[in-house]
Amino acid sequence: SEAEVYPEYRDDVRRKFCFAWYLENCKETFKDIDQETGRAVKSEDGYRMVDLGRRLFFGDAEPKTRRTGATHEAIHKILKGSTTNYSFFSTIISFEGNNAEIHYKKKLLPAFDQLPMCIKPMWEGNRRPTILRLDTPPTVYITGGLKSAITFSDSGGLYKNEGDRLNGLLNDEQGKDSNLKVNIFERWNVNKFTMSTGMGINILRGAYVKNPSTVEQMESSSAPYYRMCMMSDFYRRVPIKGQTVSGFARIFLPAYLRMEGFIDRFGKSVVDTPTERQCRLTPYAIFAVAKKGSRQMMQEERDTLLAENTPQSLETYRSIRRKSPFTWSECWLGSAGNVGYNLEIVDKRLGELNRLKSLGDLPYKTGYFYRENSDPDGMVLWQDSSDIIKFRMSMDLPMALTNQREGVEIWDGLSQKVVMSWRPRNGQRFTCGIDPFRNLNANQAKANSKLGFSLSNSRQSDGGMAILWEYDDSIDHGKSKKDWNSFRCVLSYRYRPATQEEYFEDVIMACQYFGAMMFPEQNVEAFIAYVYKRGYGGYFLFEMGLDGRPKPLPGKWTGTETQQELVREYKDYIEFRGHVENHDDLLGEIKSFQGLESFTRLDLKTAFGYALLGSKSRYREIISTLGSDDAIDLDGSGLRMW
């Protein structure tokens, strides 16, 4: 078994340790850095570098596959640093305190015991100390020790190591779920100052941090770890300081590298079909018997699960991809396959959109709406902007088709009276789903903060809004649903303005511009009241009751039944329209969906789900058949809606 053999040379591990050596000695940063984004600017001759004369990296962050030995490698680095340096202090932190103790007692101490006596330093205490003190025992007077120490943190809390000085640190499995409820960013901000001076600028001699983690579900426990890895982009630096935002650099090795049974005689990974020489020199290896490389073997399992195409097989498929990733992006796959979503379509489309964006060919434009001459009921106009990004719009409407509206009398279901109002002239073309601001309870706010969807325990959600371009028979008649040009999202909004009223006005302006009918979540009645008060109640879209009359309030109440209906609508939308969806912000929220409890934090996804539900309403069909003097009897009592 693997525990009964001596370590062997692995070329891929050599490359990883070469990268670590570079980070320990790197004093250079990019000379040309975009001041706004921090992104390194490449000239015709490549990147220009400048020497700052000080270390710039604390260590590395490594999302990885299972059982690659990354924890053993990190412990080796700690042990080597402690046994070859004077006054070197190290600790191990894991996703749970008892797990750090296991690493210390079952991996580090046995490794120390096995060191040859010629290089093994003196230490205090017995063979199983809770702190390995590499110093002269009290009974020895003729020589001095290293005065180094290695221990583990029995708690992964924020301030466990505050006030200490650390040179070596293993932050193990930060992407796994934990009962510690610790924000890993805040914990690192505390530990950073134990390893540096000058507010993190001057890194201590020999200091190094390892952050390996087997990434589980990005949308749950590993979302903060994902953000830490994103802030460890080598090509994005803090100007003048020269460091990445996190202080780390990220490293990733595909799962098919270093795979046992697929290593040739010289320690190199056999990824594709092995050569005759590789098989001859290692005849009993798995690759030699199967005549296949590691990537081929792993891909066959994936293909089998994908071909089965059931919710269970898709969930397993994504789990395998996430736990044994081939690419960087596969580390962060969501697990929404367990609700029946075909997220392979989502991932493929996101990849296509990312490639377009990297070429500067954005599939949408960003900006905001405003009123002409600041008239509260004037024409709504669009302003492109990369600074104020409220909306993402993927459809260019001719000016003649915007702001099409008319004044009518309607029934206000809240005030119980007839009022004058604006309504769209062609309200059948677009549907706007609306997920207004709401106040979260304490548990929801804490959960959002822990999962990385908010940097604070904010008790207020974002405002969500999305507009669906309804099926257009004039351009899609006779086509398969997968080939339609219409029936897709054309406007997305997830934003938290300074005031609730600003959000309400953003919704009204967007609907006036497109001529979209509003289908809001009823749980936040303040929005409905505001729209009636502003004179835009004619834009509301109602569900029809079994008696053929509109329900008293527009939109739909969010409960478990409604949420389940949203899941079903999204399943169909992804299957038939996901491959042409242009809004990566919406696709990102679809991808991170785990279950019904996720709706409280996925404001854009919820909003577009309401647009899909509103699209099914027969209300527009009924009002389109009415003349100017006709009306709908609301409840048989004579109350009417024009």
Side-chain angles (χ1 to χ4, degrees):
S1 69
E2 62 181 86
E4 297 172 351
V5 299
Y6 288 106
E8 296 178 346
Y9 171 75
R10 296 288 184 268
D11 189 67
D12 300 304
V13 178
R14 177 192 63 82
R15 292 159 55 196
K16 189 165 73 168
F17 271 83
C18 286
F19 179 68
W21 180 90
Y22 171 77
L23 296 183
E24 288 181 282
N25 295 276
C26 177
K27 299 179 180 179
E28 60 186 8
T29 189
F30 299 99
K31 185 174 183 179
D32 304 311
I33 298 177
D34 187 292
Q35 295 296 310
E36 293 184 1
T37 65
R39 180 69 58 182
V41 179
K42 192 174 185 179
S43 64
E44 293 181 358
D45 300 327
Y47 293 105
R48 298 192 300 169
M49 310 301 289
V50 58
D51 192 336
L52 297 184
R54 53 182 169 81
R55 269 189 64 181
L56 299 179
F57 292 95
F58 284 89
D60 61 67
E62 182 188 4
K64 64 180 185 67
T65 186
R66 291 178 176 272
R67 302 189 65 78
T68 61
T71 302
H72 278 285
E73 294 165 5
I75 286 174
H76 158 76
K77 194 161 186 62
I78 285 177
L79 189 58
K80 180 179 181 295
S82 299
T83 56
T84 57
N85 289 282
Y86 184 79
S87 188
F88 195 95
F89 298 95
S90 306
T91 191
I92 301 170
I93 299 176
S94 191
F95 67 106
E96 291 181 343
N98 64 338
N99 204 59
E101 183 178 2
I102 290 172
H103 291 328
Y104 173 80
K105 291 184 176 180
K106 291 190 175 182
K107 296 175 182 177
L108 189 141
L109 289 181
F112 179 75
D113 285 344
Q114 294 297 316
L115 286 177
M117 289 302 298
C118 59
I119 63 172
K120 191 173 186 177
M122 294 182 291
W123 77 97
E124 293 184 21
N126 56 39
R127 295 185 62 188
R128 287 294 179 268
T130 55
I131 300 178
L132 181 58
R133 301 183 187 278
L134 303 181
D135 203 1
T136 309
T139 56
V140 177
Y141 301 98
I142 60 174
T143 186
L146 289 175
K147 299 188 182 301
S148 297
I150 309 174
T151 186
F152 62 91
S153 297
D154 55 6
S155 167
L158 293 180
Y159 305 107
K160 175 63 179 177
N161 299 301
E162 186 179 31
D164 296 335
R165 173 171 67 85
L166 291 176
N167 300 90
L169 175 61
L170 166 58
N171 282 320
D172 191 55
E173 298 291 8
Q174 295 189 95
K176 282 191 174 181
D177 201 4
S178 170
N179 57 13
L180 294 176
K181 315 301 181 187
V182 173
N183 186 309
I184 66 172
F185 295 100
E186 295 181 18
R187 183 170 67 188
W188 167 235
N189 284 333
V190 171
N191 290 332
K192 178 190 293 186
F193 299 123
T194 70
M195 309 184 76
S196 63
T197 59
M199 299 300 291
I201 294 179
N202 302 307
I203 302 173
L204 297 182
R205 171 188 57 83
Y208 202 86
V209 184
K210 297 286 290 183
N211 295 282
S213 181
T214 304
V215 181
E216 297 295 338
Q217 300 171 2
M218 186 198 75
E219 64 275 15
S220 57
S221 58
S222 64
Y225 183 69
Y226 166 78
R227 292 170 57 215
M228 178 172 283
C229 288
M230 292 299 103
M231 294 191 299
S232 304
D233 186 349
F234 183 85
Y235 294 93
R236 186 181 179 190
R237 306 291 182 93
V238 178
I240 302 177
K241 192 175 182 181
Q243 298 177 350
T244 61
V245 179
S246 67
F248 304 126
R250 63 195 189 203
I251 182 173
F252 170 75
L253 295 180
Y256 49 75
L257 299 179
R258 304 170 294 166
M259 187 172 169
E260 290 304 314
F262 293 86
I263 306 296
D264 70 9
R265 178 68 177 81
F266 304 102
K268 294 188 176 182
S269 297
V270 181
V271 176
D272 298 309
T273 304
T275 64
E276 290 184 7
R277 183 168 183 263
Q278 287 175 320
C279 294
R280 186 177 68 254
L281 293 177
T282 319
Y284 301 109
I286 297 176
F287 73 82
V289 176
K291 298 294 189 294
K292 293 181 179 179
S294 56
R295 179 163 52 191
Q296 292 172 293
M297 294 282 282
M298 297 175 74
Q299 187 62 50
E300 286 180 0
E301 181 182 14
R302 294 180 175 208
D303 292 342
T304 300
L305 290 168
L306 191 60
E308 189 174 338
N309 197 31
T310 64
Q312 294 78 15
S313 67
L314 289 175
E315 181 183 359
T316 304
Y317 171 80
R318 298 182 65 78
S319 178
I320 288 176
R321 289 181 65 193
R322 187 172 59 248
K323 293 171 182 174
S324 301
F326 285 6
T327 63
W328 172 263
S329 61
E330 284 188 342
C331 295
W332 319 108
L333 292 174
S335 64
N338 60 2
V339 294
Y341 289 179
N342 189 343
L343 293 189
E344 301 317 306
I345 295 175
V346 175
D347 284 328
K348 182 178 179 180
R349 185 55 179 163
L350 279 172
E352 293 170 351
L353 294 176
N354 287 335
R355 283 191 290 275
L356 289 174
K357 291 171 70 174
S358 67
L359 298 173
D361 187 14
L362 285 173
Y364 50 74
K365 54 186 179 181
T366 60
Y368 58 91
F369 292 110
Y370 67 97
R371 296 276 186 182
E372 187 177 34
N373 300 322
S374 299
D375 181 349
D377 290 309
M379 289 276 290
V380 174
L381 304 175
W382 169 264
Q383 177 62 56
D384 288 333
S385 175
S386 58
D387 297 322
I388 304 175
I389 302 178
K390 289 187 175 183
F391 295 90
R392 290 172 170 82
M393 184 162 66
S394 58
M395 173 184 249
D396 285 319
L397 278 178
M399 280 297 295
L401 296 182
T402 67
N403 293 278
Q404 293 186 332
R405 57 180 178 166
E406 59 188 1
V408 295
E409 287 184 331
I410 66 163
W411 176 257
D412 182 343
L414 292 180
S415 65
Q416 295 288 296
K417 61 183 181 182
V418 175
V419 296
M420 287 298 299
S421 175
W422 293 106
R423 78 173 178 191
R425 286 182 182 169
N426 296 293
Q428 74 279 1
R429 295 184 304 175
F430 300 98
T431 301
C432 181
I434 300 157
D435 182 30
F437 285 94
R438 67 171 60 79
N439 290 322
L440 307 177
N441 61 42
N443 291 332
Q444 291 171 332
K446 287 182 179 178
N448 282 2
S449 175
K450 176 179 179 289
L451 300 181
F453 294 98
S454 172
L455 292 177
S456 64
N457 291 347
S458 174
R459 297 292 294 274
Q460 192 177 61
S461 69
D462 291 342
M465 180 198 328
I467 290 183
L468 171 70
W469 179 17
E470 294 285 355
Y471 168 74
D472 190 332
D473 188 68
S474 66
I475 61 176
D476 290 325
H477 178 73
K479 295 181 182 178
S480 165
K481 190 173 183 180
K482 288 190 175 183
D483 298 326
W484 290 351
N485 291 315
S486 57
F487 200 72
R488 57 182 172 83
C489 181
V490 294
L491 188 80
S492 61
Y493 174 108
R494 178 173 176 171
Y495 191 73
R496 188 180 302 179
T499 65
Q500 199 175 54
E501 181 176 324
E502 183 181 348
Y503 166 73
F504 294 163
E505 288 294 334
D506 283 341
V507 175
I508 292 173
M509 286 190 290
C511 290
Q512 178 179 324
Y513 184 87
F514 276 89
M517 300 288 282
M518 302 178 185
F519 196 76
E521 180 186 16
Q522 292 178 358
N523 301 43
V524 185
E525 194 174 286
F527 171 75
I528 298 174
Y530 185 88
V531 173
Y532 274 130
K533 181 180 178 181
R534 283 280 284 115
Y536 287 84
Y539 282 81
F540 278 140
L541 183 60
F542 294 79
E543 279 195 307
M544 304 301 292
L546 296 177
D547 56 359
R549 302 187 183 96
K551 293 188 176 180
L553 293 177
K556 198 176 183 74
W557 182 268
T558 297
T560 301
E561 184 177 343
T562 300
Q563 291 175 340
Q564 291 173 341
E565 189 176 358
L566 288 172
V567 170
R568 292 192 293 270
E569 290 297 321
Y570 263 113
K571 184 178 179 181
D572 287 345
Y573 183 79
I574 294 168
E575 194 67 39
F576 292 103
R577 308 299 299 149
H579 64 290
V580 295
E581 178 56 60
N582 286 324
H583 291 257
D584 51 357
D585 50 349
L586 174 59
L587 292 173
E589 291 200 7
I590 292 173
K591 179 177 174 179
S592 67
F593 182 72
Q594 253 191 306
L596 301 186
E597 69 281 356
S598 301
F599 280 110
T600 59
R601 56 177 170 79
L602 301 177
D603 304 284
L604 175 57
K605 179 181 186 294
T606 304
F608 188 68
Y610 269 85
L612 294 174
L613 294 181
S615 177
K616 300 167 65 177
S617 171
R618 293 176 47 252
Y619 176 73
R620 279 178 287 211
E621 298 175 18
I622 294 177
I623 62 174
S624 66
T625 62
L626 299 178
S628 58
D629 296 327
D630 294 326
I632 303 173
D633 189 345
L634 288 178
D635 57 5
S637 62
L639 298 177
R640 302 189 303 166
M641 175 181 290
W642 279 261

